[in-house]
């Protein structure tokens, strides 16, 4: 039996949030409910989710801002916006923020489930779960177990090493923006966290030094790139 689809739901209206959460759980989804965008973003950074539902108008951090932050390091996880507004420019702003779908309140909950399932089928090859195991060159990476395997040799990663390697491998052959990586893994792109990240990049390079096909490059003034040779 497949594991449940993990949904991150951000909705500041407690009545609607609890109603949605209860309904989606009854449909066999694993739901994490957050009352504002800031909490939702922190949860997204600390766990793997298969789907994200964001209310547009939320205190502290709105849905558009959360989506923008997510898309800096994750282009894959589907995002659906919920809003009380129906203006066309709002919809366009939602899609430009990286949304996969959009629903205007009030909406039919059965339709919401149908939309979720349709987007999941488009996004994931098996229509089922987000990928957490990767093979690149001669490296096997298991995000859930926090291990790298090279030529049969298994290496355990720390939590920060694991998160950093995860977003590097998800952005393989593309530049991973330095500040975006800092905000994702450390929560702040200040100077001291930047020095800490440089140390972790060095540690990751040591972990993969026996690989003949994969390396982590510095891209001056921009960030890093995980390159398959």
């Amino acid at each position: 039996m497949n594991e449940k689809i993990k949904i991150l739901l951000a909705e500041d209206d407690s009545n609607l949030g609890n109603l949605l959460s209860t309904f989606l759980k009854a449909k066999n989804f694993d739901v994490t409910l957050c009352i504002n965008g800031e909490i939702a973003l922190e949860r997204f950074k600390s766990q793997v989710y298969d789907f994200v539902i964001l209310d547009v108008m939320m205190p502290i951090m709105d849905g558009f801002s959360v989506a923008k932050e997510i898309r800096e390091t994750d282009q894959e996880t589907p995002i659906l916006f919920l809003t009380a507004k129906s203006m066309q420019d709002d919809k366009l702003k939602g899609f430009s923020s990286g949304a996969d779908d959009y629903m205007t309140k009030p909406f039919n909950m059965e339709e919401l489930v149908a939309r979720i399932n349709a987007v999941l089928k488009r996004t994931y090859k098996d229509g089922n779960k987000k990928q957490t195991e990767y093979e690149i060159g001669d490296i096997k990476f298991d995000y859930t177990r926090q291990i790298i395997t090279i030529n049969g040799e298994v290496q355990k990663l720390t939590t920060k090493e694991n998160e950093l390697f995860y977003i590097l491998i998800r952005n393989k052959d593309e530049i991973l923006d330095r500040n975006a990586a800092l905000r994702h893994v450390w929560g702040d792109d200040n100077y001291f966290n930047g020095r800490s990240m440089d140390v972790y990049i060095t540690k990751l390079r040591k972990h993969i030094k026996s690989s003949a096909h994969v390396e982590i490059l510095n891209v001056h003034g921009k960030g890093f790139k995980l390159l398959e040779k």
Side-chain angles (χ1 to χ4, degrees), residues 17 25 38 40 46-47 51 63-64 67 80 87 114 127 139 167-168 174 186 199 201 212-213 217 219:
K25 286 176 180 177
E38 187 177 64
S46 65
Q47 296 184 44
F51 201 95
F64 293 140
L80 182 146
M87 293 176 63
I139 293 178
I167 58 174
L168 279 165
E174 297 178 5
W186 275 266
V199 171
I201 288 289
H213 302 288
L217 304 178
V219 182

Side-chain angles (χ1 to χ4, degrees), residues 89-125:
D89 59 343
D90 223 26
K91 291 182 180 180
L92 291 173
K93 183 178 180 183
F95 284 112
S96 69
S97 300
D100 295 270
D101 208 343
Y102 193 104
M103 293 191 74
T104 303
K105 302 174 185 175
F107 52 83
N108 181 286
M109 291 199 183
E110 290 289 354
E111 182 185 352
L112 174 62
V113 171
R115 296 271 194 101
I116 291 170
N117 287 327
V119 173
L120 284 169
K121 286 177 182 177
R122 290 201 306 267
T123 306
Y124 303 129
K125 289 179 181 178

